[in-house]
Amino acid sequence: FIIYSKLAMPFKRYQIGPVFRDEPISSTRFRQFTQCDADIIGDASPQADAECIALALSIIKELKIEAEVQINNRKLISSIIESVQMENNECVMRELDKLEKIGEDSVKLNLRKYATANQIITLFKILEKDLNFFKENNFDGAAEVQELISKCKQYGVKPRFNQYLMRGLSYYTGNIFEVTSTEQKGSIAGGGRYDKTVGKYLNKEIP
């Protein structure tokens, strides 16, 4: 079902139903699954991001699941990669996304297809920095993450900044988040801002 809480922009959409994944599948990534989905359309502010995160966490708490929220920003990831003059931005992100699965050494080896050894070493040194470093050095997207953390406090949510978090590399444009169980490994929910997708059908940007 779909509920439109507003007809004018911005409006909110809530939907539960079957989804078919148009991406590679595996033993834990099914082609068809049931998804509870929420979107806020027409609101470019981090307040909308915070509301979606708070909604997801509220539902998960109702299910008596202990979880934490991790956040990052696609602009920030790109800015970090560009700061060491690496090319093939999206390919580098895809390799970094494999860190938990194959380990740092294997990721560094894979990155040799796109960068020199010095660039890779520098990249990982920068990735070790905290959010204050990125904000003080004017990395694009860092201020958006800081504002999102501030907005989440209004809902009693304390997200954890994770500079290694990668999601939706082909469509997310700004803040991204993932909700993970604190009891066992695995993502329970996730999402992010995709400001370039909806509007392409109307030749204008719709956040």
Side-chain angles (χ1 to χ4, degrees):
F1 62 89
I2 301 176
I3 302 171
Y4 293 103
S5 61
K6 292 184 180 180
L7 294 178
M9 292 291 188
F11 66 83
K12 302 171 186 178
R13 184 191 73 161
Y14 310 98
Q15 179 176 328
I16 299 175
V19 177
F20 293 88
R21 191 191 305 277
D22 186 24
E23 296 174 353
I25 60 174
S26 69
S27 60
T28 57
R29 287 175 64 83
F30 306 119
R31 176 68 68 199
Q32 179 182 358
F33 55 98
T34 300
Q35 176 170 292
C36 175
D37 182 73
D39 300 278
I40 298 176
I41 304 172
D43 187 344
S45 74
Q47 183 72 43
D49 305 348
E51 184 175 336
C52 286
I53 290 172
L55 173 65
L57 200 59
S58 175
I59 293 169
I60 289 165
K61 284 184 175 179
E62 284 288 326
L63 298 172
K64 309 298 183 186
I65 298 172
E66 293 294 326
E68 73 163 357
V69 181
Q70 300 176 32
I71 60 172
N72 200 0
N73 187 286
R74 280 297 309 279
K75 295 175 190 174
L76 177 55
I77 302 165
S78 294
S79 184
I80 292 170
I81 294 170
E82 290 165 5
S83 72
V84 296
Q85 300 180 328
M86 280 187 176
E87 298 179 357
N88 299 305
N89 199 305
E90 191 170 313
C91 292
V92 173
M93 289 184 199
R94 291 190 186 280
E95 296 302 333
L96 291 173
D97 193 34
K98 300 173 185 176
L99 271 168
E100 286 191 7
K101 294 179 181 177
I102 65 175
E104 186 175 314
D105 290 341
S106 295
V107 168
K108 286 179 176 177
L109 186 62
N110 290 345
L111 285 173
R112 288 303 300 270
K113 293 180 287 187
Y114 313 108
T116 66
N118 284 337
Q119 285 175 312
I120 295 167
I121 290 169
T122 305
L123 173 64
F124 274 82
K125 283 183 178 178
I126 294 174
L127 282 169
E128 291 173 358
K129 304 295 184 181
D130 61 15
L131 183 57
N132 286 332
F133 171 85
F134 297 122
K135 194 166 183 295
E136 289 168 2
N137 288 277
N138 298 314
F139 279 78
D140 193 18
E144 290 182 10
V145 176
Q146 190 69 59
E147 187 174 358
L148 176 57
I149 292 172
S150 177
K151 296 294 183 184
C152 281
K153 288 180 181 178
Q154 299 173 4
Y155 296 95
V157 176
K158 296 181 179 179
R160 178 171 68 85
F161 171 58
N162 178 3
Q163 58 269 54
Y164 299 98
L165 177 64
M166 313 280 163
R167 288 191 61 86
L169 301 179
S170 61
Y171 47 90
Y172 286 138
T173 57
N175 286 325
I176 55 176
F177 73 91
E178 188 164 280
V179 184
T180 57
S181 169
T182 56
E183 299 170 352
Q184 57 187 359
K185 287 187 177 181
S187 172
I188 302 169
R193 180 166 286 281
Y194 54 105
D195 292 343
K196 305 292 183 182
T197 303
V198 178
K200 69 182 180 182
Y201 301 105
L202 298 172
N203 296 316
K204 65 178 182 179
E205 188 167 308
I206 298 177

